[in-house]
C-alpha cells in the first residue's frame, strides 16, 4: 500500500500531494486505506481505478462491463458487499469473478472465495461503479425495481431490512449529503423533496422563494426518503401517515439542527426539511429592518416591567427571528427569561428555553401555567393559538410579567379583534396590551448588481401600482439585475418591513367588545404609526429592496 501511495504522489495534481503525504502508511493498511487515498488524491474515480489496475496488473472493468455480467450477490450479505466495495459475478460455466476497488484487501477476497467455494478471478473497478451496480443488483434481489407509483408496498421485515440497507448505501448517503451541502451553499431555509410519477423533484426555499435544484437520478426515491427518516429517527416502515422528527447533522464545518416532516402523497412520501444552523448569531433590531422611530418605540416598550407585546404575520414572515432579537435585548443577568417554543429555533445562552411536546401534554398553555411559579421576569410563548393560552398570557402580563408572543393576523390592528374572539375580556386587553408589531419579509437587493432606473410616465401607466406606492415620474428607483453572487436573482438575503401599533391614549378606548380593526388602524395612523406599506416604500427609496418585491408581499394592489 505504501508503494502505491508513493506511486500516486508522482501522478496526482500538485494540490493533492500535500494531502497524500499526510496519509499515515500504517492507517492505509486498514480496510478503508485505498478509499482514503482516492478521496485525497483529487483524481476522478475512474482514473484512480485505472492507476490501481495498472499498479497491481489486474484487468479493469467499467460500469458497462459490470452491468453486462451476471451478478452473484445472492450468496452474500449486502452489508459485506457495500463495506468491502466488492461485486461478485459469474465467470464461465462454473467460475466466479470478483470486481474489487481495493486489491490489497485480502480479507474480503478470501471471504468471497469461502462463500463461492473456489478461487475467484480478480478485476478492478472504481468505488463509484461498484456502489452503483450493487444498489441496482441488491435492489432487484430484495424489493424488485422500486416503483413509487405503487400505493401498496410491502412492509415485511425482510423488505424493511433491505430498504434500511439500501438507504445506508453510498449513493443514497452521498445524494442526501449533497442536497444538504447545496442547501447550505444557497442559504436555503427549507428543502422540499417531492415524489412524482417521473421521479423525485427537489426544491429549496432561498430568501423565501422556491428554487428547483438537480438531484441524482440513480438514487431510488424510496431509499432517499428512508435515509432522511433514519436521520430523524422516524419509522421507515410507516408510509401511510405523516411523521415529524428532528436531527442534528454536520454539513461541512457547520453544525445544523434539522426538522423533518413527511406527508404521504399519490406517488410516495413528500419530505420537507427545515434547516436551522446552530451557529447563526442573533441580530439587533436595526439589522432585521426595524429602525428609526419604530426601533426607539420598541426599545422603550421592552424596558417596561410588565405587559404584553405581540408579533403578527403569516407563517414564514420572520416572527421568530424578531422575538429572538427582542430576547437578546432583554437577556441580562438581572432577568430570568422563560420560553416555550415549537420548535426551539434559536438557542440563546442565559435563557431557559423549553420545547413544546403536545404528545405528552406539554402544550403552550400547560407550560405557561408552570412558568408563573418559576418567578420569571420575562415569558415568551411561541404562539397564541387558542383561548386557554391567550387568557393565561393576559393574566401573566397582569401579574407583573413581560410577555412576548406571536399571533396570526394580517395587520397589527387585527390582533385586537382576534384576541377578543379568543375570549379575552376587553378591559383586561386594554390594561395589558402594550403594542402589536406586524411584519413581512422582503428580499434585499444584491449590492453587487443592483441598478438604478428613473421612472417615466409610461412606466407608471404600464403598472399603476407604482402610483399606489406613492412613486411619481422622475423618481429614481432600484432594480434587481442578477450576478454570480446572488445566483442570478438580483436579491441576496431578506429584511423585515414593519408596522408598530402602540396602544396610546388615542387607540386604547377603541379596544373592547365589537372592536373594529379599521378604526383602530386609522386612530394609530393619526397617532403617528408608520404603516407597513410606508415602511416598505421607504426601504425602496433607500435602495434596500425593489418595488415589485414590496408589491409581492403586501396587500397593495
Amino acid at each position: 500500500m505504501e508503494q502505491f501511495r508513493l506511486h500516486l504522489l508522482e501522478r496526482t495534481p500538485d494540490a493533492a500531494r500535500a494531502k497524500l503525504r499526510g496519509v499515515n502508511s500504517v492507517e492505509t493498511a486498514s480496510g478503508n486505506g485505498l478509499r482514503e487515498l482516492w478521496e485525497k488524491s483529487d483524481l476522478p474515480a475512474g482514473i484512480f481505478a485505472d492507476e490501481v489496475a495498472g499498479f497491481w496488473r489486474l484487468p479493469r472493468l467499467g460500469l458497462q462491463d459490470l452491468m453486462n455480467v451476471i451478478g452473484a450477490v445472492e450468496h452474500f450479505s449486502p452489508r459485506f458487499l457495500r463495506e468491502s466495495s466488492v461485486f461478485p459475478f459469474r465467470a464461465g460455466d462454473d467460475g466466479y469473478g470478483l470486481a474489487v476497488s481495493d486489491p490489497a484487501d485480502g480479507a474480503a477476497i478470501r471471504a468471497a472465495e469461502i462463500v463461492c467455494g473456489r478461487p475467484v478471478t480478480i478485476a478492478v473497478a472504481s468505488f463509484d461503479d461498484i456502489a452503483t451496480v450493487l444498489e441496482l443488483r441488491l435492489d432487484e434481489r430484495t424489493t424488485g425495481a422500486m416503483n413509487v407509483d405503487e400505493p401498496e408496498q410491502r412492509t415485511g421485515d425482510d423488505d424493511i431490512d433491505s430498504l434500511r440497507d439500501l438507504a445506508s448505501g453510498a449513493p443514497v448517503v452521498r445524494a442526501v449529503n449533497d442536497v444538504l451541502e447545496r442547501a447550505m451553499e444557497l442559504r436555503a431555509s427549507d428543502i422540499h423533496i417531492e415524489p412524482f410519477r417521473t421521479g423525485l423533484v427537489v426544491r429549496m426555499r432561498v430568501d423565501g422563494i422556491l428554487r428547483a435544484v438537480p438531484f441524482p437520478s440513480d438514487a431510488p426515491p424510496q431509499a432517499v426518503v428512508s435515509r432522511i427518516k433514519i436521520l430523524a429517527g422516524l419509522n421507515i416502515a410507516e408510509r401511510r401517515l405523516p411523521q415529524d422528527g428532528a436531527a442534528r447533522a454536520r454539513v461541512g464545518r457547520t453544525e445544523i439542527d434539522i426538522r423533518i416532516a413527511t406527508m404521504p402523497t399519490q406517488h410516495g412520501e413528500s419530505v420537507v426539511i427545515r434547516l436551522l444552523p446552530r451557529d447563526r448569531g442573533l441580530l439587533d433590531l436595526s439589522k432585521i429592518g426595524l429602525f428609526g422611530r419604530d426601533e426607539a418605540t420598541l426599545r422603550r416598550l421592552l424596558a417596561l416591567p410588565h405587559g404584553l407585546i405581540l408579533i403578527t404575520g403569516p407563517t414564514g414572515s420572520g416572527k421568530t427571528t424578531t422575538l429572538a432579537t427582542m430576547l437578546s435585548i432583554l437577556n441580562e443577568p438581572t432577568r430570568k427569561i422563560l420560553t416555550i417554543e415549537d420548535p426551539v429555533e434559536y438557542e440563546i445562552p442565559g435563557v431557559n428555553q423549553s420545547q413544546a411536546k403536545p404528545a405528552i401534554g406539554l402544550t403552550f398553555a400547560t407550560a405557561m401555567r408552570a412558568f408563573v411559579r418559576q418567578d420569571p421576569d420575562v415569558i415568551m410563548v411561541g404562539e397564541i393559538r387558542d383561548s386557554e393560552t391567550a387568557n393565561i398570557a393576559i393574566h401573566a402580563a397582569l401579574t407583573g410579567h413581560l410577555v412576548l408572543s406571536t399571533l396570526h393576523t394580517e395587520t397589527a390592528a387585527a390582533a385586537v379583534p382576534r384576541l377578543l374572539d379568543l375570549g379575552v375580556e376587553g378591559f383586561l386587553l386594554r390594561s395589558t396590551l402594550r403594542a402589536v408589531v406586524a411584519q413581512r419579509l422582503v428580499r434585499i437587493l444584491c449590492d453587487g448588481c443592483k441598478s438604478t432606473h428613473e421612472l417615466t410616465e409610461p412606466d407608471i401607466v404600464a403598472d399603476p401600482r407604482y402610483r399606489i406606492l406613492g412613486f411619481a415620474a422622475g423618481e429614481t428607483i432600484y432594480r434587481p439585475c442578477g450576478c454570480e453572487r446572488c445566483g442570478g436573482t438580483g436579491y441576496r438575503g431578506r429584511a423585515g418591513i414593519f408596522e408598530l401599533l402602540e396602544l396610546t391614549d388615542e387607540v386604547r378606548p377603541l379596544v373592547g367588545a365589537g372592536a373594529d380593526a379599521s378604526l383602530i388602524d386609522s386612530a394609530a395612523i393619526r397617532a403617528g404609526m408608520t404603516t407597513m406599506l410606508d415602511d416598505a416604500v421607504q426601504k425602496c427609496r433607500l435602495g434596500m429592496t425593489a418595488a415589485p418585491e414590496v408589491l409581492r408581499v403586501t396587500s397593495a394592489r
Side-chain angles (χ1 to χ4, degrees), residues 197-236:
R197 187 178 297 277
T198 55
L200 282 181
V201 172
V202 177
R203 297 187 291 170
M204 298 181 182
R205 193 173 293 279
V206 181
D207 293 335
I209 305 296
L210 283 173
R211 180 188 303 181
V213 297
F215 188 75
S217 58
D218 60 342
Q222 198 173 7
V224 171
V225 173
S226 296
R227 172 63 183 170
I228 296 169
K229 284 183 171 182
I230 290 171
L231 288 176
L234 301 180
N235 182 3
I236 65 171

Side-chain angles (χ1 to χ4, degrees), residues 474-550:
E475 280 195 72
T476 298
I477 61 171
Y478 293 82
R479 286 180 166 178
C481 291
C483 64
E484 183 177 353
R485 181 171 179 267
C486 62
T489 64
Y491 299 94
R492 183 176 173 83
R494 288 190 292 176
I497 54 174
F498 302 89
E499 63 182 26
L500 194 159
L501 188 156
E502 182 182 4
L503 260 71
T504 60
D505 292 338
E506 294 88 346
V507 176
R508 193 171 291 107
L510 300 174
V511 176
D516 188 322
S518 61
L519 294 178
I520 293 174
D521 194 54
S522 298
I525 292 173
R526 289 195 299 272
M529 180 183 79
T530 301
T531 67
M532 190 184 302
L533 191 58
D534 289 340
D535 186 47
V537 171
Q538 180 186 2
K539 289 179 170 66
C540 281
R541 290 193 165 103
L542 291 174
M544 289 181 60
T545 189
E549 182 68 8
V550 172

